Amino acid sequence: MTFGNLSLASRGMILTVTYIILMTFIYNTIRSLFLKRSRINIIASIVATLITNLLLQILDMHHIGLYVIKFELPLPVLLVIQILLLFIAVAQQYIIGKWQETHISAMSVKEAFDMLPTGLCYYNDNDGMPLMVNQTMQDISVDLFGKGVTNGNEFCNRLNETETAMAVSEGKAPLVRCSDGRTYSIRKQKLFIKNKEIPEIIAADVSREYALTQELEERRTKAAQLNTRLKALLGTIEYLTMSRELLQLKVALHDNIGQSILIARRYLAEPQSVDRDELLYLWKDNIRHLLNEEQEEWELPYYVISKEADKLGIKLQIVGELPKETKLIPVVDSAISAHIGNTLKHADGKLATIKVKETGGSYILTFLNDGKKPEKEIEEKGGLRNLRHDIESVGGSMKIYTSPEFCMEIILPKED
């Protein structure tokens, strides 16, 4: 039995199998040429392709009845040839795949280039024509700008704008951040290849380093806040220590006066039993302490809050004389403390200025700083809300302005 004696469906099946074998040989030949394999392998692929094509043409002529070459093989021989050709095609494809895994070729270089986690882009400096762009850089471009790299100069300019925005917002080295959270550090340089200058853009993935840096910044901020609280606490402890020492001095003075009174009573009752000169010395010493009204520096109003400002790195500048009335001192002290805290935490300033103006019946205190201006209206909460309550409790008023710069104005009534 020959091919021509088979049914139409059987002939079609054999033709299909032969066509598939032919396509496989053609694919293997193209891969061999592209991978630049040895000449023997390329010739073998071409010969196998031609043999398969010749067989397909003969079978096709017998199938449609156009006998240009009337030559028919017995069906068993034809099937053996087909099986042999199919085996050779599959084996050749397997060998090419194994060879590609162990040899460097243009395709393997391109595949490795695309698989790099670092984005790479090379382009012509004159017209911006991309010469080589890997898949990572294409993904970055699509994520940031909505399209791939089509012009190197345009892509570089857009990256510069993005880097500038990131540098301003983060206050750090220029970076670009994708929508999925990945952060890339962009480096631009020029290579000289065959005496030709080629611009290179490298996008290194620094997502983990960036996350660690952010975490470190958060910890530093918390540490700074804790340090601020500790410094303020130390100032309070210092003030309490001095107050305790003053109390001990007052108790000692009280005891001395009591002792002097007892000795004086005894002298009045029995003058001979008391040394008169010693009694006079004791009374003179007690009276001298009572008449000494000069305050120590740490006993002066606003001493503690001024020392606290120094420890926090804030220069406190007072223009005028702060109120000395007893009921106003705690209120002004709280206002200065709130002003120092806001200058440090919100305005990021170094100079806190307080201008004091006296009118007929009131004090007008204006609080300013050299920090950044508020971006929106200030919402009174926490410290400012409590401060307003304290000011209004003594009959005063408070106003806060944000334009053209931050200003807090406090009006306090003078005592009658």
Side-chain angles (χ1 to χ4, degrees):
M1 178 178 287
T2 61
F3 177 77
N5 301 127
L6 295 174
S7 63
L8 184 63
S10 299
R11 295 200 303 268
M13 185 179 298
I14 293 175
L15 283 170
T16 303
V17 172
T18 307
Y19 180 76
I20 292 173
I21 296 172
L22 176 62
M23 290 297 103
T24 305
F25 278 125
I26 293 175
Y27 174 71
N28 291 341
T29 303
I30 294 174
R31 285 187 69 187
S32 298
L33 291 170
F34 190 78
L35 296 174
K36 297 181 179 180
R37 297 192 68 202
S38 64
R39 186 176 300 177
I40 296 176
N41 290 311
I42 295 175
I43 293 174
S45 296
I46 294 174
V47 170
T49 303
L50 294 176
I51 293 173
T52 307
N53 183 57
L54 178 61
L55 178 62
L56 179 63
Q57 296 300 325
I58 293 174
L59 295 178
D60 187 52
M61 285 188 297
H62 284 78
H63 179 63
I64 61 177
L66 296 175
Y67 296 104
V68 177
I69 301 175
K70 191 170 173 107
F71 173 76
E72 286 192 272
L73 290 172
L75 186 59
V77 177
L78 178 61
L79 293 177
V80 170
I81 294 175
Q82 270 197 327
I83 293 172
L84 181 61
L85 290 174
L86 179 60
F87 175 78
I88 293 174
V90 173
Q92 192 179 54
Q93 191 171 21
Y94 176 79
I95 292 171
I96 293 174
K98 283 294 183 180
W99 184 91
Q100 189 175 3
E101 291 178 359
T102 57
H103 292 75
I104 296 177
S105 63
M107 179 61 72
S108 61
V109 171
K110 181 64 171 68
E111 290 176 353
F113 186 73
D114 284 335
M115 291 176 64
L116 285 174
T118 301
L120 295 172
C121 174
Y122 303 91
Y123 60 94
N124 195 326
D125 198 12
N126 296 326
D127 55 6
M129 177 67 67
L131 301 176
M132 199 171 184
V133 184
N134 70 346
Q135 190 60 44
T136 302
M137 189 65 84
Q138 293 286 10
D139 294 340
I140 294 173
S141 178
V142 171
D143 189 287
L144 294 176
F145 313 122
K147 64 176 184 178
V149 181
T150 57
N151 186 291
N153 291 325
E154 180 184 353
F155 179 64
C156 187
N157 293 333
R158 288 190 173 187
L159 280 178
N160 288 335
E161 296 173 1
T162 307
E163 287 177 349
T164 303
M166 283 284 293
V168 171
S169 62
E170 300 293 340
K172 304 176 183 68
L175 303 168
V176 294
R177 193 184 306 164
C178 298
S179 58
D180 60 356
R182 291 174 301 160
T183 305
Y184 290 91
S185 174
I186 306 298
R187 188 178 71 203
K188 307 177 189 72
Q189 59 187 16
K190 293 192 176 182
L191 303 177
F192 289 90
I193 301 176
K194 295 182 179 180
N195 297 325
K196 185 177 180 181
E197 191 177 70
I198 298 178
E200 177 188 41
I201 303 176
I202 302 174
D205 190 349
V206 293
S207 302
R208 187 170 181 274
E209 291 81 355
Y210 182 78
L212 292 174
T213 302
Q214 292 294 100
E215 182 180 353
L216 179 61
E217 287 295 328
E218 292 177 2
R219 291 185 178 182
R220 287 181 59 185
T221 301
K222 291 181 180 178
Q225 293 174 353
L226 182 60
N227 190 33
T228 299
R229 294 178 61 185
L230 288 175
K231 287 181 178 179
L233 182 60
L234 288 175
T236 305
I237 292 174
E238 179 184 358
Y239 180 74
L240 291 176
T241 302
M242 291 184 292
S243 297
R244 185 179 62 184
E245 292 176 355
L246 176 62
L247 179 60
Q248 292 175 352
L249 291 174
K250 289 181 178 179
V251 171
L253 180 61
H254 179 272
D255 294 341
N256 290 338
I257 293 175
Q259 183 181 3
S260 300
I261 293 174
L262 292 176
I263 295 175
R265 288 181 62 183
R266 185 176 179 183
Y267 174 76
L268 293 175
E270 300 178 8
Q272 297 81 7
S273 61
V274 177
D275 186 349
R276 184 173 178 274
D277 293 335
E278 183 179 352
L279 175 62
L280 288 176
Y281 174 79
L282 186 61
W283 272 105
K284 287 179 181 180
D285 185 62
N286 289 332
I287 292 172
R288 179 173 57 83
H289 282 93
L290 290 173
L291 294 178
N292 185 15
E293 298 180 354
E294 183 179 355
Q295 291 179 305
E296 297 288 340
E297 182 185 9
W298 62 271
E299 295 181 283
L300 298 175
Y302 316 114
Y303 172 81
V304 173
I305 193 65
S306 63
K307 290 298 181 183
E308 181 181 340
D310 292 338
K311 291 179 181 179
L312 297 177
I314 301 294
K315 182 180 179 182
L316 186 61
Q317 184 180 41
I318 301 175
V319 181
E321 187 174 353
L322 293 171
K324 295 294 193 301
E325 285 88 337
T326 303
K327 74 172 185 178
L328 298 182
I329 288 176
V331 178
V332 177
D333 203 57
S334 299
I336 297 175
S337 179
H339 185 52
I340 292 173
N342 292 333
T343 301
L344 181 66
K345 292 187 293 185
H346 302 296
D348 195 21
K350 298 295 182 183
L351 175 65
T353 303
I354 305 173
K355 297 181 179 180
V356 185
K357 181 180 178 182
E358 294 187 42
T359 61
S362 62
Y363 296 97
I364 302 176
L365 286 77
T366 305
F367 296 79
L368 306 168
N369 62 63
D370 65 340
K372 58 185 179 182
K373 300 178 181 178
E375 298 178 355
K376 57 182 180 180
E377 293 293 327
I378 296 176
E379 181 182 357
E380 293 184 16
K381 54 184 180 180
L384 289 178
R385 184 187 300 169
N386 296 334
L387 177 61
R388 179 179 290 277
H389 179 268
D390 294 340
I391 293 171
E392 292 176 351
S393 67
V394 296
S397 62
M398 181 178 78
K399 295 180 181 179
I400 297 178
Y401 305 94
T402 57
S403 179
E405 61 182 358
F406 172 82
C407 174
M408 181 172 67
E409 184 181 82
I410 297 177
I411 300 177
L412 296 173
K414 291 183 177 180
E415 290 185 353
D416 296 335

